[in-house]
Amino acid sequence: MHALSRRSFGSLWVFFLLALCCLSCGKQPAGGRALGLATTTSLKDTGLVDELLPAFEAKTGYRVEVNALGSGKALRALRDGATDVAITHAPAEEQAAVAAGEVGRRSPFMHNEFVIVGPADQVGVVAGAGDVQEALRRIASSGRTFLSRGDDSGTNQREMALWKAAGIGANSTFIVRANAGMGETLERASDEGAFTLSDRATFVAKQKDLELSIVFQGDAALRNTYSVIEPKAGAGANAEGARAFAEFLLSPEGRALIGAFGVKASGEPLFTPEAR
C-alpha cells in the first residue's frame, strides 16, 4: 500500500509538472518565436497596447512583442515579413496595400479624431474657423511655427493631405519637421510654443505635462480610424496568430477594453470601438 501510494504520488507529480509546462509555455508561433506586432506610436504612447495585450495573451497563450514604428513603417514591416501583424491609421495606404496584394485582411476596429493643438494663449489664431482647412490657413499666416511629425506616420500622412487641401505647401518655411513619434512631437511643440496635429488620445493622455491646448477639433476630415492588418497568404508570417489577434480586437472582450480605456484616468474614453 505504501509503495502504491508513492507510485501514485509520483504519477501525480509528473502530471502536475507537465500541466505546468503547458501553461507556462503558451501558444507560440511557428519556430517558437513571439507574435510580432508593429503598431502606430499612439497606441504605445497612450498605454492602450499595454491594456490589450495581457488580456489577449491570457486568452490565447500567444506572447506578443511590440515595435512602435508609426503607420508607414509598420506597413512596410508587414509587407517585408519583418512582423506578423500591424495596427495602423493610414487608410489610403492600407487600402492600396490590400489592393496590390502586399498585405492580407484589413479590419477597421476603432477610431478617435485628430486635433490641432497649440499654445493656450494662441487659441485666437484659429477661433471661429469654419473648417480645418481654414484653421490651417490661419496658422500659416500667423507667423507661428507648425511642428510636423515628418516621419511618414498615419498622423503625418493626414497632415500632408490637409495642407494640400488647404492649398499650402508642406515645405513651407513655417513648417518644421520633428522626425519623431507623437509623444515626443507634443513635448517639443510644448517647449517651443508651436502648433501641431495630434491624435486626440495621445494629447489627452499627456495633456497634464504639456503647455498646449486644443485649438481646433470636430471637422469630419479629422476622423482617425485604426485598422489591424494581417499578412498576405504565404508571406512566412504567423498568419494564425495574426488572425487570432485581429479577432480579439473585434471581439466583445476587446471592444469593451477599448471603449473603457482612459475613462478612469482622463474622464473620457480615448478610443471608440467600430460598430460591427
Side-chain angles (χ1 to χ4, degrees):
M1 179 69 70
H2 182 63
L4 180 60
S5 297
R6 283 191 299 175
R7 284 196 298 271
S8 298
F9 178 80
S11 298
L12 287 171
W13 179 245
V14 170
F15 177 80
F16 172 77
L17 288 176
L18 288 172
L20 184 62
C21 180
C22 289
L23 288 171
S24 63
C25 289
K27 188 176 182 180
Q28 296 297 323
R33 61 183 177 85
L35 181 68
L37 168 63
T39 179
T40 178
T41 61
S42 56
L43 269 68
K44 190 68 175 175
D45 287 340
T46 60
L48 177 60
V49 73
D50 297 322
E51 182 81 8
L52 292 171
L53 291 188
F56 169 71
E57 291 174 337
K59 182 175 183 178
T60 65
Y62 281 103
R63 179 172 57 86
V64 182
E65 290 184 352
V66 179
N67 194 1
L69 298 171
S71 293
K73 293 177 181 177
L75 275 173
R76 283 195 290 275
L78 187 62
R79 285 195 297 255
D80 296 343
T83 194
D84 298 305
V85 64
I87 292 177
T88 55
H89 62 146
E93 187 176 1
E94 295 160 9
Q95 291 164 358
V98 171
E102 297 171 340
V103 299
R105 188 175 71 162
R106 170 184 179 263
S107 303
F109 68 96
M110 68 178 187
H111 68 272
N112 59 10
E113 67 172 336
F114 290 110
V115 294
I116 299 176
V117 301
D121 62 357
Q122 296 297 312
V123 173
V125 170
V126 298
D131 55 32
V132 64
Q133 288 83 12
E134 183 182 351
L136 291 174
R137 285 192 287 266
R138 291 189 184 189
I139 291 172
S141 62
S142 70
R144 307 286 298 197
T145 297
F146 188 98
L147 197 61
S148 171
R149 289 264 303 260
D151 62 351
D152 194 33
S153 61
T155 304
N156 185 219
Q157 291 181 31
R158 181 64 62 87
E159 178 206 330
M160 295 300 100
L162 291 171
W163 286 127
K164 182 176 181 180
I168 298 168
N171 58 349
S172 300
T173 56
F174 75 95
I175 301 175
V176 177
R177 292 168 61 94
N179 296 312
M182 195 71 259
E184 186 179 342
T185 299
L186 283 168
E187 291 167 7
R188 181 173 165 184
S190 179
D191 291 341
E192 298 179 6
F195 292 95
T196 193
L197 182 72
S198 174
D199 67 282
R200 183 181 182 87
T202 305
F203 176 73
V204 170
K206 292 183 168 292
Q207 186 173 12
K208 65 181 183 299
D209 299 318
L210 302 170
E211 297 296 326
L212 298 171
S213 299
I214 294 175
V215 299
F216 187 86
Q217 60 184 326
D219 193 312
L222 295 176
R223 183 183 173 94
N224 181 27
T225 299
Y226 292 82
S227 296
V228 55
I229 315 294
E230 299 173 44
K232 67 179 180 180
N238 178 26
E240 181 183 350
R243 176 57 57 90
F245 183 64
E247 291 298 332
F248 174 77
L249 294 177
L250 295 164
S251 71
E253 181 182 358
R255 288 165 47 78
L257 288 171
I258 291 167
F261 180 72
V263 174
K264 284 186 178 180
S266 306
E268 63 178 275
L270 298 186
F271 301 92
T272 301
E274 292 291 349
R276 293 205 71 183

